Amino acid sequence: MAGIAGGFSAGGGDKTQVISGEAEARPVSQCQAVASLPNEGTVRLAVGEPLTREQVRISFIGHSTYLVETPEGITIATDYNGYIGGNAAPTVATMNKAHSSHFTLQPDPAIENVLPGWNPNGGPIDHDVVIGDTYIRNVTTDIRSGFGGREPDANSIFIFEVAGLCIGHLGHLHHELEDRHIAEIGRLDVVMVPIDGGLTIGHEKMSEIVKRLRASVILPMHRRGTSINAFLDLFGSDFAHEFRSEDTLTVTLRNLPKQPTIIILNGV
């Protein structure tokens, strides 16, 4: 187990590089260039129905937690706070620092890889982790601190690269993204976006970020009682939106909508 100070650890043995410089050279991002992966055959997941090698399943758990299931059966819980519904412990848990509802200091010991979005030792944290069929990396952003200040690099936008897809989770984003953030993120096919309207960023600025990222699928989260329509109304005819009765979405690189689509899963 490769350790991280502050009570967190990240497992995976020689398959993982958690902090830049601790292990072999970092993997190459496929989401900063157009790429595709082999898509033949099927693998049966421990959770849910079988997925082909093209498919990724994304389920809304609650608040800012989505469960991402990959063709090889890797499960990733985003902004994990200890709650994962009726699901087994995920293979990977990503967390963010801004509020206790986005992390836990006592993650389930069965989780093999715990990836905090901040560095307990100070400074930015740099995750470059290959786990099974998934490459996980992060782009750090700041969070608000007392008296109108900022705490640098205390939130991470996590990017999951799997089955040719580029899946991003904005975490508890507190400020607009700069050009350097956009460049580091690269292409996103799916993006998970907080729409609370103020605890993170106001709806108008968040909609501008979404428009700039131009992902094919936008998955709202972190609603906190605000109106979904208040967010949707900020998008013109270039964006579609769908309300789903299911809390799960299965995506492939081939079935991404041609028009950017905001999909509101059941429970959001």
Side-chain angles (χ1 to χ4, degrees):
M1 299 284 282
I4 297 178
F8 299 108
S9 63
D14 60 6
K15 293 188 296 182
T16 66
Q17 176 187 339
V18 177
I19 301 178
S20 180
E22 284 192 356
E24 66 274 6
R26 70 178 62 210
V28 175
S29 170
Q30 299 300 312
C31 293
Q32 293 173 327
V34 176
S36 61
L37 296 178
N39 48 44
E40 299 176 356
T42 62
V43 176
R44 178 172 292 275
L45 290 174
V47 178
E49 296 299 317
L51 296 176
T52 72
R53 290 193 181 275
E54 292 183 304
Q55 295 176 317
V56 175
R57 181 181 292 121
I58 304 173
S59 302
F60 181 68
I61 302 300
H63 202 49
S64 288
T65 303
Y66 278 91
L67 185 67
V68 180
E69 302 175 56
T70 80
E72 286 189 6
I74 301 300
T75 54
I76 305 161
T78 64
D79 274 18
Y80 171 78
N81 60 17
Y83 177 74
I84 197 65
N87 299 288
T91 315
V92 182
T94 67
M95 299 190 293
N96 272 305
K97 182 181 181 183
H99 292 286
S100 60
S101 53
H102 297 255
F103 74 93
T104 175
L105 295 176
Q106 297 179 316
D108 187 331
I111 301 173
E112 298 175 15
N113 304 271
V114 177
L115 307 181
W118 71 98
N119 190 341
N121 296 320
I125 194 163
D126 184 4
H127 292 297
D128 288 277
V129 184
V130 176
I131 301 169
D133 56 351
T134 309
Y135 170 33
I136 304 173
R137 57 190 177 89
N138 72 306
V139 175
T140 60
T141 64
D142 302 341
I143 63 172
R144 289 185 292 269
S145 60
F147 305 103
R150 279 193 183 190
E151 184 176 351
D153 301 306
N155 178 74
S156 280
I157 296 169
F158 281 94
I159 297 104
F160 313 107
E161 306 192 16
V162 58
L165 290 161
C166 308
I167 302 170
H169 184 282
L170 297 187
H172 208 277
L173 185 61
H174 284 184
H175 59 79
E176 297 176 71
L177 298 180
E178 301 172 6
D179 290 345
R180 66 180 180 87
H181 295 122
I182 299 295
E184 290 175 32
I185 292 167
R187 186 187 97 235
L188 288 183
D189 300 305
V190 179
V191 63
M192 304 166 199
V193 179
I195 62 164
D196 55 87
L199 292 174
T200 53
I201 302 179
H203 282 155
E204 186 170 348
K205 289 185 177 180
M206 189 65 76
S207 70
E208 291 171 0
I209 291 170
V210 170
K211 292 171 185 176
R212 191 172 184 193
L213 291 172
R214 294 295 293 182
S216 295
V217 174
I218 301 98
L219 296 175
M221 61 181 185
H222 201 264
R223 186 163 67 89
R224 300 293 295 181
T226 58
S227 168
I228 291 177
N229 287 331
F231 181 70
L232 297 178
D233 288 346
L234 295 169
F235 295 87
S237 58
D238 288 346
F239 285 75
H241 66 266
E242 300 176 6
F243 287 85
R244 299 283 182 93
S245 59
E246 306 84 13
D247 60 6
T248 296
L249 174 72
T250 300
V251 293
T252 74
L253 192 61
R254 297 172 188 245
N255 76 1
L256 291 171
K258 294 181 180 179
Q259 181 182 25
T261 304
I262 304 167
I263 297 178
I264 303 95
L265 294 178
N266 184 47
V268 173

